[in-house]
Structures are given as structure tokens and as C-alpha cells.
Amino acid sequence: MLLRRTAPGVVGRLARGLSGGRPPRDDKFARVTQEDVQYFREALGAGGRLVTDREGLQAFNRDWLGNFEGATSVAVCPTSTQQVSKVLSYCNERCLAVVPQGGNTGLVGGSVPVHDEVVLSTSAMDNIISFDEVSGILNCQSGCILQALDTYLAERGHTMPLDLGAKGSCQIGGNVSTNAGGVRLLRYGSLHGSVLGLEVVLANGEVLDLWQSLRKDNTGYDLKQLFIGAEGTLGIVTGMSLLCPARPTSVQVSFLSCKSFPDVLHIFRLAKQHLGEVLSAVEFLDRESLVTALEHMPGIRNPLPDGTSPFYMLVETSGSSETHDKNKVEEFLAEVMSAGLLVDGALAQDTSQASNMWRVREGVTEALVRRGKVYKYDVSLPLAEMYALVEEMRERLPGDSIRVVGYGHVGDGNLHLNISDARGKERQEVREAIEPFVYEWTRERRGSISAEHGLGLMKAECIRYSKPEAAVRIMGAVKKMLDPKGILNPYKVLPRDVVHEGC
Amino acid sequence: MLLRRTAPGVVGRLARGLSGGRPPRDDKFARVTQEDVQYFREALGAGGRLVTDREGLQAFNRDWLGNFEGATSVAVCPTSTQQVSKVLSYCNERCLAVVPQGGNTGLVGGSVPVHDEVVLSTSAMDNIISFDEVSGILNCQSGCILQALDTYLAERGHTMPLDLGAKGSCQIGGNVSTNAGGVRLLRYGSLHGSVLGLEVVLANGEVLDLWQSLRKDNTGYDLKQLFIGAEGTLGIVTGMSLLCPARPTSVQVSFLSCKSFPDVLHIFRLAKQHLGEVLSAVEFLDRESLVTALEHMPGIRNPLPDGTSPFYMLVETSGSSETHDKNKVEEFLAEVMSAGLLVDGALAQDTSQASNMWRVREGVTEALVRRGKVYKYDVSLPLAEMYALVEEMRERLPGDSIRVVGYGHVGDGNLHLNISDARGKERQEVREAIEPFVYEWTRERRGSISAEHGLGLMKAECIRYSKPEAAVRIMGAVKKMLDPKGILNPYKVLPRDVVHEGC
């Protein structure tokens, strides 16, 4: 699984969106003084952590892809909601901009400062508060690491309702704030369904207690939903209640190769039909993705002798009866074969083989970073047209150093389109060949220009490709209502023209 | 299944919330004139329907329980979003109050006028627009009847992600606007997860197009969530995109009796453990519920010879393999028996037996209405304490004519507490013995005073039992932002003191 790592060789270049580069610093925001730092120190007391040295700040200033880098002079790591409240209340008063940061594993520059914003990290808020084994309801602080929560639940017969490559370092508060999707959304749905309650600290330091542990509550507007996917621009999530499913006792993973993308879709349909309620993931990767993973990730092996098919799929079931599940998978594979859809296929015989199959799929992201510069896109599209975007992009971007790869979550209509350039540097002509083409292509099909990564800094100015004017205007009004001074995660999510003045 | 029916004998009395009766008419609202009616007639054109005669209006003015009755002089039934937009834009300009109405099956007075508000009914907007059999995504107008949609999907191998007793008359737009829960929430989750896109007409007539058909879209705040459960106070839902699961080919229903509520919870735990991913409903009813259903609903038979146990349960599985599912159910029942939890039990041998079991559970609601006056409460509580509320209520309300019954969705921690009075009339001393006790009891346990019914008129003033002040204040700000004049469904959901002036 992909753990957080230090930034790779290519660093410090800001991926430019359509807006033409890094937005200028908004001079309404105050600059951090020694008095401010002194206040933060006192607010944190003995438990919290304050980082002000240059070396220590590097991890807070730079995203792991090395595409975004800010210049904060202070990172504040509180241990409690009360401390978060104190810090925000002070920053709001002083008009100091604040970037909430979880595991800093985002891909669109949402979690690092653009200029000198104060970083408020939830890393030191990692307490598990309670877990009810009858209802499956977990209460925890927002700084808990996803994998740590899943390990805790595993010992109690349950599982987290989401899973993603960055699980070893991403934090649940960041997952909620970015509405993280990942590989099991097909089975357990989105966080809009799994999050039962939230505790959020608003920009002015007020604690908004929406922390209920109930499956059903129809008393007024479901305000917590606004903070799920708001990328920290409306408030800072400090605690939550999550509905966690019973842990499957049987997991079956198969790895298949096939001849065309229509065949991928046909296999997906058969998987839905034959695997029904135990189907938990249907992922695909093209040959270019597979080759990149095998080239750059030591220890990953091709599960199939076949390395020349244009498409590969990973199909996973998770259920409560090994006998029943294996039986269903066998019927599914028999049907896929008899329909002539399969070039080759393997069914994992143990957890080690299953992990290797997952490593192939999840290793693509990091392999691409190792290969050189990577231009990342994450789109939702109608299934039938999903792969045509990759093919058209290949035609637009010839050249030896360029490799266009497509992989993603078939079950969710979510394509990860990545353009890898072995030359290793951002090149304007490459960027211009991709944008705005990729966004326009997506808009024409009423797709989403960000299926799961969010908008962050990278795509804030591109929001109108996926949202109509009225929606963007209302988002601006919501921002103004909850963060009147605009101190929370400025320059992100919303385009500049709808952001109110503030301060 | 429970179909919409004409109001029963007890009519026209307004169930009083804590606020002490029907709120006075807000005189900022204009009164409907002949010119207004003429405008509506022209706006609707040939397709739409306009109701102005006294008899015809009765169905729009009165809720099916007979607890709430308004006095509108006009009901407008448009056929298109454009017509809804025209009508709302006009009403907003004129400051005419509007009540959106779907199937009018609500239980808290949310869908009928309080005074002379214009009724905007979605009944004539019942087109199914598209269905994609690969992704399971349905697009339809908001006036489609839930059961009609499910029948349509059944022919295409899919099912609606929700099911409730009123399915024969409730409309999907009303389901979304009230965030309807129902009996399969345990399996398919809430509408916050199943609704992929919405089209909403705002108070000023502007069409807010959030109608995407994508499983994943992280481009900005998820505004559609605000309208799910807002009971028509923020906008009128006119169209939607829903994610529909594959239809289970095997449904197994069992009906069990047991000795205590802790045994009910123990059986629920075993069901989760043994039935895993095929578990689709765990309902319970107490003996008083069963007896009421058997007494007042002709054609319903007790599935068990045992009619004296204090608790009954309905456990349903829905899966894709009959062999596997029956096998799982047998193991579950064997475990329940060997744990000594079962007094008696029956496994439905065919769909007729299964329907009868469901009729017992779903018939309770209507049986209570037939028995006389019913005081209805719908609370979410921690599972362990859920039934204690029924027992305490029994102690508070002795007397021959009173019957306190408890039933509901164990899997969701959702109790339907009903106090039935055979005397048939609202009695102040009964109401005062129940309220505010039931709300205070729920608040002390951090429960919800409305798990799935919503607040409507009945509980608007009670919102603070389940929501903190900051949340109520923000709701008021959201209302002001989206409906500045306050014309949409006034007097409902929000307490009077947070509703802005408007007009």
C-alpha cells in the first residue's frame, strides 16, 4: 500500500490551472508576527506542538507530489477541539489566513499554503473515542490515520467504509473534508452516507456540534453535509461519528485481461449480475498503467503471464461466507469465459497473491511520480465514453517521453487520466495540449472534472466546467455565511470572482 | 401495502406541538386574487391542472391522518419545470406563500397549508426520463409514485433504494424532500447517498441545475444535500437522478417472537453476523402493535400461533442466490434457537406468506388510525435504551382507552412510539402527559425527536431538542439565503424566532 513519503525529485513547481499560475497574495490577510506565535504557543499549552523552524515546516509547506509549495512560518498542531477553537478565534480576529491540514496526501494542492497562511494540522488529534459493536458506530477525532482506524476495527469485526491508496498516512478528517472516494465506494457508498455526525469549528472559533451518532435524524437541514467535501473552506472538522460495516470474512480477488474497453464494461455488467451483493470493487487499468507500475515499483509482479493485452481488471468480492463467495466468483468467471471476453485471468489463492494484485493497481499512482513529471486528471464520465478520453489524449500528445495512461474505478464511472512525461519538468506546450481540452471534453458529456480529488488550488478556477453559474453563486454565499472574513483555506475551491471581500 | 386513503373519521383537529397550537397567519403574505388564479391558469396552459373548487381542494388541504387542515383556495399542478418556475417566480413577486405537495402522505403536517398558502402539487410531473441498466442510474420527474418507479425498475432487474408503507401513493420528490427512510435503509443507506443529482426550482423561480448522473463529483460544496430533507422550505425538487441497486432475485422473510427487548437486540446482532451482506431489514413490533394490526386490519393473519409473546421481529434477506441465502438464514435461525432466544418463528415459504408478514408490520400504522386518535412519535435512540421509552410512557398513561405501542426499525435505532386513544379525540391531558416528556427523554440520550418523519408543522418549534442553537441559527441563515421572502412552506421546519422577516 502507498505510504506517505518525502517529496520526489521533481519539486516546487506549481501546477498551473487555467487561471495562469499561482494567485497573488491577498493583502487583506495579516502577516504572522512573533506575538501571534507566542499566542499559539500559549493556546496549545503543554500537549500541542508548534513548528516554526524552516526544516520542520517543509513537510507542511509542500505536497507529496511536489507540485505545490507554500511558505508558512508556523504550523500549529492542537490536541483538542478547544485548542482549535482558540486558534481560529484568534486568527479570525487578527485576519490571519489558515490552511487546515490532515495527512497532506491530496493531489490538487488543497492542503498546503499558497503563500504564508498558518497551517493548522490535525495530526495530534488522533484519539478513538468509542466504538459500538452492535450498531457499528465509531466516534473519533479527525487526525486518526485511516489505516489505524481500520486496524482497530478489524480487531472488532468491522471495517472502515472507505479505502484508498494513501491509507497509511491520510487522516479521516481530511478524508471527510475532501469526500474521499477510493476503491470500495462501489460497495459502501460515499461519505455523505457513512458520516453520521460531525463536530466542526467555524472560522470564528465557534464549535458547531453536529456530532450525533444516529443512523436517522430528520430534524432540519442536514448541515453536516456542507462540510463533507468542502476542503476545509467552511470550517475545520475536529470529530466525527461514522457508520462502519461488518468486516467481510471472505475476500476474493481476481485479476483479468481483456481485449477492449467495451469488453471491460461487459465484464463489469456480468460482475454486477453474478456477484451481486458481495461485489466490492471493479477496477481497471490499461496496459500503459500496468507497464508503468511494473517498471517503477520494485516488488510488484504481473499477476498474469500476459503483459500485452490492452486492458486489465481487478474484481473483488467481500462477503460473509467463503463457500458462497467462491461459488459466485466461479460462476462469474465461467460466464466471462464462455462469453469469450477473457484473454487471461487469475484468482488469488491466498492473501499474499491478493495483496500483490492490489499493489499493481494501487502502485500506478506512485509509479507515475517516479517516472517523471505527471499531469493528473480525475474525471467522472458516462461509462460508455470513459476510455475515449484517454485515446484522444494519446493522439494529441505524441512524443517519446510522453506516456498517457488511464486507470480507475469502473464501477463508479471514475477515470484517472494521467499524462506522464519522462523529461521530468512541467512544459507549457504539454499543459496547453491537455487543458482546457480535458475539461471541455468532460463538460460536453456532463461529467465531473474532479470525481474524487477535489478542486483545491489546482482546479478552483475550473469549477464552471462542472457546475452551473447559479450553483457557483450559491457556494459563494455559503462561504460568506460561514466564513465572513474568508480566512479558511483561501484561494481554494471557489473561483476568485465569487469570493467576497471579507476582513 | 398501505395506500393513500381518504381521511378517517377524526378530522380537522390540528395536532398541537409545544408551541401551543396553530401559528397565526403571517400577514406579510398576500391573499390569492382572481387575477392570480388567472395567471396560474395561463402559466399552466393546456397540460397542467388547476383546482379551485371546494370539494376538489379538500384532498390538498387535509393530511391523510386528519390531524392537519388548511384552507387554500387554489392548487396548481404543473407538468414541467418551466411551469413550476413561472408559478414560483410570480408568487415570489406577489409575496404569495406556497406549499409544495407530493403524495401528501406525511405525518407531521408538512405538506398541507396552514392557512391559505397556494398548493403547488407535483402530481402531474410523473415522467420517467431514462434508466441506464449498466450503471443502475434512474432519471425521473419528482411526481413519480414510488411504487410505479419500483415496478418500472423490476422489469429492468433493478430496485428502488427505498421502500415504505406509503409506496402506493407517496411521490419520489416528497421522499427526497423529506429524506424518507423506510424499511430498507439498513441495506441501501439513506437518500443522502442514493440521490446523485437534483433539479430544484428556487423561491424566485430560478432553476438550480444540480442534475448530474454521476456517482462521484467533488467539484465544490454538495449543495443538493441541502434540499434532501428540507421539506420544501428551500426550493421545490422537480427532477432527480437516483442510484438504484440490482434487484435481489432471492428474498427470504422470517417472523420471530421473543421474550424481551434485550433478546430483540441479541437477535439483531446474530442477524448482522450470520446474514452479513444479504440482510435487508430488521423490524420489530411489540405485542400491542401486533394485536392492534390483527384487530383493525381485515385480511392480516398472525404468522405465528403465538400471540402472547411481548416482542415480534421481521428479518429479511435480499440476495442474488436463493441457495446461498436460504443456507445463511438457516444457520442464523439455528443459532438463534440454540442461544435460547426464540419463543416461536416462521420462515415464509412463498411470496404470499412473505407479503403477509410484511402486512403485519406495515399495517400497524393504519390500524392505529382506525382504532381512534393517535399521537405519533418517531425517535432515534441508542439501541440499548430504545424500548424503555415505551415502557415509561405506559406508566405515565394508564386508562382503558389508551394503548401505548412501540415498533420500528431496530437496525436503524428508530422507534415509532404511538399512543392510541380509542376515545378518538385529541385530549389535552393526554397530550400533556406525553409532551414535552417524550422530547426531553430523547434529548437526554442525544437522540433525534424525528428520525424519519421530519419536523413539518408539528415539530418545528421542537427543533432545539435535537439541534444546538448554532445549528438552528445557521439553518435560519440558509433559509434566508435561498428564500429571502420566506414564501416556501412557511410555518414549517424552522422555529418562528429564527425565521427572517422577508417580503
Side-chain angles (χ1 to χ4, degrees):
Chain A
M1 304 299 160
L2 195 67
L3 300 180
R4 173 173 167 186
R5 33 195 87 246
T6 52
V10 194
V11 295
R13 264 172 307 278
L14 180 75
R16 302 176 324 131
L18 280 180
S19 57
R22 188 196 298 258
R25 184 179 188 283
D26 186 339
D27 286 324
K28 78 179 176 192
F29 294 123
R31 289 178 194 273
V32 175
T33 64
Q34 274 313 309
E35 287 71 44
D36 297 332
V37 173
Q38 188 51 34
Y39 178 87
F40 296 145
R41 201 178 304 279
E42 282 162 23
L44 295 189
R49 181 174 158 237
L50 198 75
V51 181
T52 53
D53 65 296
R54 206 184 155 128
E55 206 177 336
L57 285 172
Q58 206 171 44
F60 296 97
N61 268 320
R62 187 190 284 171
D63 79 316
W64 76 275
L65 284 175
N67 282 334
F68 302 92
E69 185 164 7
T72 193
S73 59
V74 61
V76 185
C77 311
T79 53
S80 71
T81 303
Q82 289 64 37
Q83 290 179 2
V84 174
S85 166
K86 263 186 162 175
V87 170
L88 278 190
S89 159
Y90 179 86
C91 290
N92 194 53
E93 190 66 36
R94 279 269 295 128
C95 211
L96 284 166
V98 177
V99 180
Q101 190 177 92
N104 194 12
T105 60
L107 298 167
V108 290
S111 58
V112 291
V114 179
H115 298 285
D116 57 345
E117 302 94 295
V118 172
V119 172
L120 194 154
S121 164
T122 48
S123 303
M125 299 178 67
D126 59 351
N127 288 321
I128 295 172
I129 296 158
S130 67
F131 179 67
D132 182 320
E133 296 194 24
V134 180
S135 64
I137 295 173
L138 172 76
N139 285 291
C140 66
Q141 282 187 303
S142 59
C144 294
I145 304 277
L146 178 57
Q147 195 162 53
L149 291 174
D150 198 54
T151 303
Y152 171 89
L153 291 175
E155 291 160 8
R156 288 153 184 86
H158 284 72
T159 184
M160 286 295 284
L162 78 162
D163 187 18
L164 56 155
K167 71 186 78 163
S169 51
C170 66
Q171 296 173 16
I172 190 67
N175 296 149
V176 169
S177 297
T178 56
N179 187 29
V183 293
R184 304 248 160 76
L185 187 131
L186 178 69
R187 173 67 169 274
Y188 301 122
S190 89
L191 286 168
H192 287 288
S194 305
V195 174
L196 301 180
L198 284 184
E199 181 188 64
V200 182
V201 182
L202 299 176
N204 65 1
E206 186 173 19
V207 180
L208 181 60
D209 178 5
L210 305 168
W211 201 340
Q212 275 176 308
S213 299
L214 305 167
R215 276 204 77 159
K216 285 162 132 180
D217 172 33
N218 277 351
T219 56
Y221 313 148
D222 196 353
L223 296 178
K224 71 172 182 286
Q225 302 287 354
L226 280 177
F227 301 96
I228 301 173
E231 306 183 41
T233 61
L234 299 178
I236 297 186
V237 171
T238 47
M240 73 199 63
S241 183
L242 287 166
L243 185 65
C244 303
R247 195 167 197 91
T249 51
S250 154
V251 176
Q252 310 297 325
V253 183
S254 48
F255 201 88
L256 318 172
S257 63
C258 65
K259 284 195 285 275
S260 71
F261 194 71
D263 284 359
V264 168
L265 295 184
H266 195 159
I267 292 172
F268 170 51
R269 281 175 69 171
L270 293 175
K272 276 183 66 171
Q273 197 179 315
H274 289 271
L275 302 174
E277 61 280 355
V278 293
L279 185 62
S280 55
V282 182
E283 302 284 310
F284 91 100
L285 51 166
D286 59 14
R287 181 174 48 219
E288 290 75 4
S289 304
L290 179 80
V291 166
T292 308
L294 296 177
E295 279 173 3
H296 295 278
M297 300 297 284
I300 291 186
R301 281 163 298 109
N302 185 356
L304 303 174
D306 162 33
T308 56
S309 285
F311 292 98
Y312 297 82
M313 292 177 79
L314 185 156
V315 178
E316 184 196 72
T317 64
S318 305
S320 58
S321 158
E322 188 162 0
T323 319
H324 295 168
D325 296 0
K326 280 193 164 159
N327 188 253
K328 287 186 174 94
V329 172
E330 279 158 18
E331 277 180 21
F332 158 67
L333 290 175
E335 181 73 19
V336 170
M337 274 188 278
S338 81
L341 297 166
L342 210 59
V343 174
D344 203 353
L347 180 57
Q349 297 305 312
D350 53 39
T351 52
S352 145
Q353 288 184 6
S355 309
N356 179 62
M357 289 174 181
W358 268 115
R359 271 201 299 272
V360 174
R361 163 63 188 83
E362 293 192 319
V364 180
T365 313
E366 188 162 357
L368 284 162
V369 173
R370 294 186 181 197
R371 184 174 184 270
K373 169 69 190 173
V374 56
Y375 304 81
K376 297 189 79 67
Y377 300 90
D378 162 45
V379 293
S380 277
L381 288 166
L383 279 175
E385 299 185 83
M386 200 162 95
Y387 198 73
L389 177 58
V390 182
E391 291 165 332
E392 286 197 37
M393 195 56 81
R394 262 181 208 137
E395 284 171 25
R396 291 175 69 86
L397 285 166
D400 287 350
S401 68
I402 300 279
R403 186 182 285 171
V404 178
V405 316
Y407 60 99
H409 319 290
V410 185
D412 313 324
N414 182 184
L415 169 72
H416 293 311
L417 167 68
N418 284 252
I419 295 95
S420 158
D421 187 348
R423 287 212 226 166
K425 286 187 183 170
E426 166 93 23
R427 286 193 288 157
Q428 198 179 339
E429 66 270 28
V430 176
R431 180 72 68 179
E432 284 172 0
I434 306 171
E435 297 177 23
F437 170 79
V438 62
Y439 296 132
E440 286 170 355
W441 203 94
T442 303
R443 175 176 58 193
E444 280 162 25
R445 286 149 187 89
R446 281 187 77 90
S448 169
I449 62 155
S450 185
E452 56 178 15
H453 293 173
L455 295 171
L457 175 63
M458 180 182 169
K459 300 183 194 164
E461 300 299 330
C462 304
I463 191 172
R464 290 183 174 88
Y465 283 104
S466 286
K467 286 285 156 62
E469 196 53 41
V472 177
R473 195 193 67 236
I474 293 171
M475 288 182 204
V478 170
K479 170 73 176 172
K480 187 173 179 178
M481 179 178 79
L482 292 173
D483 177 16
K485 292 190 171 181
I487 64 160
L488 283 175
N489 222 0
Y491 322 111
K492 318 277 176 69
V493 183
L494 297 175
R496 271 174 259 177
D497 63 292
V498 296
V499 175
H500 60 285
E501 289 280 318
C503 286
Chain B
M1 305 301 160
L2 195 68
L3 298 180
R4 173 174 165 185
R5 33 196 87 247
T6 52
V10 194
V11 295
R13 266 173 307 279
L14 180 75
R16 303 176 322 132
L18 280 180
S19 57
R22 189 195 299 258
R25 184 179 188 282
D26 186 339
D27 285 325
K28 77 180 176 190
F29 295 122
R31 289 177 192 275
V32 176
T33 65
Q34 275 312 308
E35 289 71 44
D36 297 332
V37 173
Q38 189 52 35
Y39 177 87
F40 296 144
R41 201 179 304 279
E42 282 162 21
L44 295 188
R49 180 173 159 238
L50 199 73
V51 181
T52 54
D53 66 295
R54 207 185 154 125
E55 205 177 336
L57 285 172
Q58 206 170 45
F60 297 96
N61 268 321
R62 187 190 284 171
D63 79 316
W64 77 275
L65 284 175
N67 282 335
F68 303 91
E69 185 164 9
T72 192
S73 59
V74 60
V76 185
C77 311
T79 55
S80 70
T81 304
Q82 289 64 39
Q83 289 179 4
V84 175
S85 165
K86 263 185 161 174
V87 170
L88 278 191
S89 158
Y90 179 86
C91 290
N92 195 53
E93 189 67 36
R94 280 270 293 125
C95 211
L96 284 166
V98 177
V99 179
Q101 190 177 92
N104 195 12
T105 60
L107 299 167
V108 289
S111 58
V112 290
V114 179
H115 299 284
D116 58 344
E117 302 94 292
V118 172
V119 172
L120 195 153
S121 163
T122 49
S123 303
M125 298 179 67
D126 60 352
N127 288 320
I128 294 172
I129 294 159
S130 67
F131 179 66
D132 181 322
E133 297 196 24
V134 181
S135 63
I137 295 173
L138 171 76
N139 285 291
C140 66
Q141 282 186 303
S142 59
C144 294
I145 304 276
L146 178 58
Q147 195 161 54
L149 291 175
D150 198 54
T151 303
Y152 172 89
L153 290 175
E155 291 160 9
R156 289 154 184 86
H158 284 73
T159 184
M160 286 296 282
L162 77 163
D163 186 18
L164 56 156
K167 70 186 81 163
S169 51
C170 66
Q171 296 173 17
I172 190 68
N175 296 149
V176 169
S177 297
T178 56
N179 187 30
V183 292
R184 304 247 160 77
L185 187 129
L186 178 69
R187 173 67 170 273
Y188 301 123
S190 91
L191 286 168
H192 287 286
S194 305
V195 173
L196 302 180
L198 285 184
E199 182 188 63
V200 181
V201 182
L202 299 176
N204 66 1
E206 185 173 18
V207 180
L208 180 61
D209 177 5
L210 305 169
W211 201 338
Q212 275 177 309
S213 299
L214 305 167
R215 276 204 78 158
K216 285 163 132 181
D217 173 32
N218 275 352
T219 57
Y221 313 149
D222 196 354
L223 296 177
K224 71 171 182 289
Q225 302 287 354
L226 280 176
F227 301 95
I228 302 173
E231 305 183 42
T233 60
L234 298 179
I236 297 185
V237 171
T238 47
M240 73 201 61
S241 182
L242 286 166
L243 185 65
C244 302
R247 197 168 195 89
T249 51
S250 156
V251 176
Q252 310 297 325
V253 184
S254 48
F255 201 87
L256 318 173
S257 63
C258 63
K259 285 194 285 274
S260 71
F261 195 71
D263 284 359
V264 168
L265 295 185
H266 195 158
I267 292 172
F268 170 50
R269 280 175 70 170
L270 293 175
K272 275 184 68 174
Q273 197 180 316
H274 288 272
L275 302 173
E277 61 280 355
V278 295
L279 185 63
S280 56
V282 181
E283 302 284 309
F284 92 100
L285 50 167
D286 59 14
R287 181 175 48 220
E288 290 75 4
S289 305
L290 179 82
V291 166
T292 309
L294 296 176
E295 277 174 4
H296 295 276
M297 300 298 285
I300 290 186
R301 284 163 295 112
N302 185 357
L304 303 175
D306 162 33
T308 56
S309 286
F311 292 98
Y312 297 82
M313 291 177 80
L314 185 156
V315 178
E316 184 196 72
T317 64
S318 304
S320 58
S321 159
E322 189 162 359
T323 318
H324 295 169
D325 296 1
K326 281 193 164 159
N327 187 252
K328 286 187 174 91
V329 172
E330 279 157 19
E331 277 179 22
F332 157 67
L333 290 175
E335 180 72 20
V336 170
M337 275 187 278
S338 80
L341 299 165
L342 211 61
V343 173
D344 203 354
L347 179 59
Q349 297 304 311
D350 53 38
T351 52
S352 147
Q353 288 185 7
S355 310
N356 179 62
M357 289 175 182
W358 269 114
R359 270 201 300 270
V360 175
R361 163 62 188 83
E362 292 193 320
V364 179
T365 313
E366 188 160 357
L368 284 162
V369 173
R370 294 186 180 195
R371 185 174 183 270
K373 169 69 191 172
V374 57
Y375 304 81
K376 297 189 78 66
Y377 300 89
D378 162 44
V379 292
S380 278
L381 288 166
L383 280 175
E385 299 185 83
M386 200 162 96
Y387 198 72
L389 177 58
V390 182
E391 291 165 333
E392 287 197 35
M393 195 57 81
R394 262 182 209 135
E395 284 171 25
R396 292 176 68 86
L397 285 165
D400 286 350
S401 68
I402 298 279
R403 185 181 286 171
V404 178
V405 316
Y407 59 100
H409 319 290
V410 185
D412 313 325
N414 183 185
L415 169 73
H416 293 311
L417 166 70
N418 284 251
I419 294 95
S420 159
D421 186 349
R423 288 212 227 165
K425 284 188 182 169
E426 166 93 23
R427 286 193 288 158
Q428 199 178 337
E429 66 271 29
V430 177
R431 180 73 68 180
E432 284 171 0
I434 306 172
E435 298 178 21
F437 171 78
V438 61
Y439 297 132
E440 286 168 356
W441 202 95
T442 303
R443 177 178 55 192
E444 280 161 25
R445 285 148 187 90
R446 280 188 78 92
S448 169
I449 62 154
S450 185
E452 57 178 14
H453 292 172
L455 294 172
L457 175 62
M458 180 182 169
K459 300 183 195 163
E461 300 298 331
C462 305
I463 191 171
R464 290 182 174 88
Y465 284 104
S466 287
K467 287 284 157 64
E469 196 54 42
V472 177
R473 195 192 68 236
I474 293 172
M475 289 181 203
V478 169
K479 170 75 176 172
K480 186 173 180 181
M481 179 178 79
L482 292 172
D483 178 16
K485 292 189 171 182
I487 64 161
L488 285 175
N489 222 1
Y491 322 110
K492 319 277 176 68
V493 182
L494 297 176
R496 271 174 259 176
D497 62 292
V498 296
V499 174
H500 60 285
E501 289 279 318
C503 285

